[in-house]
Amino acid sequence: MVARVIPVDPFDLVIFGATGDLARRKILPGLFHRFRVGQMPDDSKIIGAARSKFDTNEFRDLIREAIQEFIAEKDRSDDQVEAFLECLDYVHVDATGDTGWKKLAGLLRENKIRAFYLSVSPSLFGSIAQRLSDTGIATSDSRIVVEKPFGHDLASAQALNADLLRCFDEKQIYRIDHYLGKETVQNLMALRFANSLFEPLWNSTHIDHVQITVAESLGVEGRGEYYDQSGAMRDMVQNHLMQLLCLIAMEPPSRFEPNAVRDEKVKVIEALEPVDPSEIVRGQYYDWNESKGYKEDANNPESRTESYLAMKVAVANWRWAGTPFYLRTGKKLRARLSEIAVVFRDPPHMIFPKMEGRRGNALIIRLQPDEGIKLRTTIKEPGPGGMRLTEVSMDMTFDNALGEDMHTEDAYERLIMDVIRGNQTLFMRGDEVEAAWAWADPIIGAWQESSQKPASYDSGGSGPEESLMLIHKDGRRWRAIGS
Ligand code: NAP
């Protein structure tokens, strides 16, 4: 099956921070993909803007190298790459000074969609927005895209929102959470709201619990000092895991439209109960072979920042009363895995002999690796010998269902095209981000006041022992991370 491509209208996209890691690894290779498949019209313009004093040719050289590094050879030809590079321009801009803004204004065209992607530190969001507004470069229908982290607490998120809203209307602001651009995450919405099969079961009468796991096999990898200011709560839970929880728990929106969807997500966040400290486990990895761990990576022997976090969360509304959501995320775990498991209750009366190790029905929504959705069911073990049960999964993995050649867009590609189309559905609204911080802040505040240290866990393992207890004491168990 070949992915259907609907070209967007021609656009001028300015990428602030175009020489940076994110732009080179994700944004520009993603745009190249969209160009290659014919979605990005060739009369579109991408203007790189950063501090480095490059000219356009030097910038094109940098991006040629990035495409060669980050796009597989089978997915590019030299002609395609050179044609894409023709769309690129560069301007040396100082986000906090006067340099470059006049030149930038001169490069932009009338009557084209105008978008500004701020792939820079959030400390620059306010000054860039202000300069775009003061110079008249931003028009009333321009779009502005901002990267994570969107604040480190409620007050800083409110300040960032205020900075942006001084210059742009909320309907022009696109706050990226790239998890929302993942194919499976959107498929989750299709699964829930385009089928009549699941919705009648989608409540605490039928769902025993939900597990959301985002496990990474890598550690903090040279970003230790930055990460130490943040930790798993700020880096992953307040944003990515919260977004996944919202998509599972939200009520069906009245329409598949940005505000209808985001209204329902905000209601979920506002329905979250404060988390009891006894339902939270924080950990730091340690490698016994190397006699070093998170603290050494963070260059902070006294660090109490968590590289692992597990928690039991309750959504206090009619649909979910009695169905806990268990969240866990961590670094240096056994494998890289992001998935949601919706675990259904057992039948009220079992007529068959007890099956050893039976786990019951579950819908597994896998974001990475092997993106796809599986439904675990119990069937009769084939063959003679009586009525023995076994478990099989109905596999809705994309490679199987749609063919291995189907290139599923990277999350960034999809989200950038949504910006050009002016569709905010997969972007976080200001009040949504603030609601998530209002939930997270008291939890983080309590840690800061407490003298409790994070538990130690083995690098390459499944997280601290205490996190097993968190779910075992409720008579449940985590799904395995890796084999
Ligand atoms: P980075 O590699 O440090 O790049 C920063 C970019 O900002 C560079 O292009 C730099 O230009 C430019 N810049 C810095 N100060 C400037 C100024 N005063 N005026 C104009 N340009 C300036 O950072 P990054 O990793 O790409 O991350 C960018 C943003 O995305 C950050 O907010 C980060 O948190 C977020 N993010 C990154 C990732 C990732 O995987 N990298 C993932 C999620 C979110 P010069 O290099 O030319 O000086």
Side-chain angles (χ1 to χ4, degrees):
M1 185 170 173
V2 178
R4 206 149 46 99
V5 171
I6 302 168
V8 296
D9 291 334
F11 57 85
D12 284 352
L13 171 66
V14 183
I15 304 173
F16 289 92
T19 56
D21 175 68
L22 184 67
R24 285 184 295 110
R25 241 171 4 94
K26 288 287 182 186
I27 303 172
L28 282 148
L31 281 160
F32 168 71
H33 257 312
R34 294 297 95 205
F35 178 83
R36 187 178 76 98
V37 298
Q39 191 167 26
M40 173 183 150
D42 50 16
D43 56 340
S44 299
K45 206 185 231 193
I46 299 168
I47 303 166
R51 250 179 336 194
S52 299
K53 289 182 180 157
F54 288 153
D55 62 25
T56 295
N57 283 334
E58 286 167 324
F59 179 61
R60 288 179 180 173
D61 289 345
L62 181 81
I63 302 311
R64 185 184 294 107
E65 276 171 31
I67 291 173
Q68 284 163 353
E69 186 176 352
F70 297 112
I71 303 266
E73 224 171 320
K74 70 176 177 49
D75 290 333
R76 59 177 154 88
S77 71
D78 289 348
D79 288 350
Q80 288 166 342
V81 175
E82 293 312 312
F84 173 71
L85 294 176
E86 283 294 309
C87 302
L88 266 52
D89 239 313
Y90 183 80
V91 49
H92 153 56
V93 162
D94 181 2
T96 53
D98 295 331
T99 313
W101 296 94
K102 208 162 164 200
K103 179 172 175 201
L104 177 58
L107 289 173
L108 293 163
R109 301 166 297 174
E110 295 295 323
N111 306 322
K112 290 276 185 288
I113 293 168
R114 215 171 257 197
F116 308 103
Y117 195 131
L118 274 48
S119 179
V120 291
S121 157
S123 61
L124 298 177
F125 291 175
S127 65
I128 294 179
Q130 194 65 54
R131 281 171 173 75
L132 288 172
S133 170
D134 292 349
T135 52
I137 291 175
T139 56
S140 60
D141 61 355
S142 296
R143 288 122 215 207
I144 185 160
V145 185
V146 291
E147 264 299 335
K148 90 169 219 190
F150 199 85
H152 58 271
D153 58 12
L154 176 59
S156 54
Q158 285 170 330
L160 282 178
N161 274 334
D163 281 349
L164 294 174
L165 288 166
R166 242 191 309 281
C167 311
F168 292 86
D169 194 82
E170 178 64 43
K171 67 176 190 310
Q172 298 176 274
I173 304 173
Y174 293 73
R175 296 174 194 79
I176 284 210
D177 184 323
H178 70 275
Y179 269 57
L180 290 178
K182 288 185 183 287
E183 183 74 16
T184 324
V185 170
Q186 293 169 74
N187 207 4
L188 168 59
M189 284 193 272
L191 196 80
R192 279 197 62 191
F193 305 131
N195 296 286
S196 55
L197 195 61
F198 296 103
E199 192 51 31
L201 304 179
W202 211 259
N203 53 55
S204 59
T205 310
H206 299 285
I207 295 178
D208 177 71
H209 73 281
V210 177
Q211 295 184 21
I212 302 179
T213 302
V214 177
E216 295 172 281
S217 52
L218 296 177
V220 290
E221 306 301 303
R223 289 171 64 236
E225 287 176 29
Y226 160 80
Y227 184 89
D228 205 42
Q229 305 300 314
S230 152
M233 181 63 150
R234 289 188 168 110
D235 193 46
M236 299 299 290
V237 175
Q238 181 274 345
N239 40 53
H240 304 317
L241 277 83
M242 179 65 69
Q243 288 296 317
L244 300 180
L245 186 154
C246 283
L247 295 177
I248 293 286
M250 70 196 247
E251 294 300 313
S254 53
R255 294 172 304 283
F256 191 56
E257 280 182 2
N259 278 335
V261 171
R262 298 185 302 176
D263 284 348
E264 296 307 333
K265 284 163 60 194
V266 172
K267 286 184 208 162
V268 173
I269 303 173
E270 288 176 347
L272 293 177
E273 287 193 348
V275 185
D276 189 310
S278 68
E279 306 287 10
I280 300 177
V281 175
R282 302 167 70 225
Q284 284 181 343
Y285 59 80
Y286 192 79
D287 189 328
W288 293 95
N289 292 327
E290 296 196 7
S291 301
K292 73 183 194 69
Y294 172 78
K295 286 191 179 71
E296 287 71 25
D297 288 353
N299 199 18
N300 179 3
E302 300 303 320
S303 174
R304 291 199 289 136
T305 301
E306 73 287 354
S307 62
Y308 177 97
L309 181 58
M311 62 197 330
K312 179 180 168 186
V313 174
V315 182
N317 62 21
W318 277 39
R319 187 185 284 267
W320 295 113
T323 295
F325 286 70
Y326 297 95
L327 315 182
R328 68 179 161 162
T329 181
K331 294 194 176 288
K332 283 259 173 155
L333 294 173
R334 182 170 295 138
R336 178 168 173 255
L337 168 80
S338 299
E339 66 168 32
I340 307 169
V342 178
V343 182
F344 291 88
R345 294 192 193 282
D346 281 338
H349 171 64
M350 212 32 162
I351 61 171
F352 300 109
K354 191 169 170 1
M355 178 197 148
E356 239 5 89
R358 181 176 181 277
R359 293 167 298 170
N361 295 147
L363 186 69
I364 313 298
I365 300 131
R366 176 74 66 87
L367 279 68
Q368 63 193 20
D370 310 326
E371 214 175 343
I373 300 180
K374 288 185 182 181
L375 181 63
R376 192 174 65 210
T377 54
T378 305
I379 61 161
K380 177 190 170 297
E381 199 175 287
M387 190 65 179
R388 288 192 308 271
L389 301 180
T390 188
E391 290 188 325
V392 293
S393 286
M394 290 168 61
D395 191 346
M396 296 177 251
T397 303
F398 302 124
D399 281 356
N400 292 345
L402 304 175
E404 282 188 19
D405 290 340
M406 178 147 167
H407 166 76
T408 46
E409 299 159 290
D410 180 81
Y412 276 95
E413 296 175 36
R414 174 186 314 269
L415 293 173
I416 296 170
M417 290 299 107
D418 277 358
V419 172
I420 304 303
R421 279 188 286 253
N423 186 341
Q424 291 180 302
T425 309
L426 300 175
F427 297 83
M428 293 176 296
R429 209 168 53 193
D431 57 342
E432 198 179 337
V433 181
E434 289 184 15
W437 279 121
W439 171 80
D441 269 3
I443 300 172
I444 298 171
W447 296 339
Q448 283 163 350
E449 278 172 25
S450 123
S451 55
Q452 205 180 6
K453 293 182 179 155
S456 184
Y457 64 95
D458 293 347
S459 293
S462 302
E465 281 290 311
E466 291 83 341
S467 70
L468 301 181
M469 286 314 297
L470 175 80
I471 189 164
H472 279 189
K473 69 180 166 48
D474 296 341
R476 302 178 175 113
R477 58 187 157 152
W478 292 114
R479 284 173 49 78
I481 296 175
S483 44

